[in-house]
Amino acid sequence: VIKAAQGHSSLGGEMLPPGSEPYEMEDGYVYAGYGDSPRRWQVGATPTQNSWYAGMKYDQHVANIKRVLRDIHTYYPGASTFEIAGFVWWQGDSDRRSRPYVEKYQENLVRLINSLRFDFRAPHAKFVVASLGQDGDQMNGSTLDVAMAQMEVSSYDKYPQHEGNVVSVDTRSAWRGPYQPGHDGDYNYLDGPHYGNNAETFMEVGNAMGLAMAKLLVQ
């Protein structure tokens, strides 16, 4: 298992996959496509580039994982070959904070699946997506919109090419509240976006994703 993780990474911004085009929204801004800088600019204006570009963390993750794979024997002593059997994806909190990213989430997620398979030369690799889960069955607004977009990529009527190789896991039942364990009700320990750092939540989500991947791998 190789884990790649960075905080404050939106699929619509830092993790935007290759092939994503810039787009206009009703707020009067153009939002960056893959490789574009800055994050957004007014319609009709000339964008002023900075050190940020859309997809920068996607590029970093892919490069870092490939570096590990090239030196696989250092990280897994005795290994000389490898197979990319699957990918798992649990993300979305940063996207729910930006309405344009919310509206593009499903489209970007489908492109991410294709991009990762292409970049790692693993066209048949399985893919498991875990939904946002904060607020549980009380989830609403943009958070719910992102969660539903995550679930929708395993709608085989809409994406027949995903049947048997892409599965979404609904994590809302794993929500145990926004407070860190032992400090229920103390605002200083409120951390909803990180599920209250609740070990039970993370264990349940991990088990659900692992089981979903195991079922895909035996198909």
Side-chain angles (χ1 to χ4, degrees), residues 45-143:
T46 300
T48 301
Q49 296 186 355
N50 55 38
S51 60
W52 182 97
Y53 72 88
M56 60 189 299
K57 290 187 179 180
Y58 177 93
D59 290 348
Q60 291 169 6
H61 284 315
V62 169
N64 287 337
I65 294 169
K66 286 184 175 182
R67 176 179 52 79
V68 170
L69 293 175
R70 284 194 301 268
D71 197 22
I72 192 68
H73 63 278
T74 296
Y75 299 92
Y76 295 89
S80 59
T81 62
F82 62 87
E83 175 190 1
I84 304 294
F87 301 92
V88 295
W89 177 259
W90 190 26
Q91 180 272 349
D93 185 73
S94 292
D95 290 89
R96 74 181 178 88
R97 303 168 190 272
S98 169
R99 193 63 210 174
Y101 290 178
V102 171
E103 295 182 14
K104 283 284 187 175
Y105 194 91
Q106 186 175 154
E107 174 186 332
N108 288 335
L109 184 53
V110 171
R111 192 177 297 112
L112 177 79
I113 294 170
N114 295 332
S115 294
L116 287 172
R117 287 171 169 170
F118 176 83
D119 280 328
F120 289 99
R121 299 181 181 181
H124 304 296
K126 312 301 184 181
F127 207 103
V128 174
V129 178
S131 76
L132 287 178
Q134 57 259 55
D135 300 323
D137 59 8
Q138 302 300 310
M139 183 188 294
N140 56 41
S142 292
T143 307

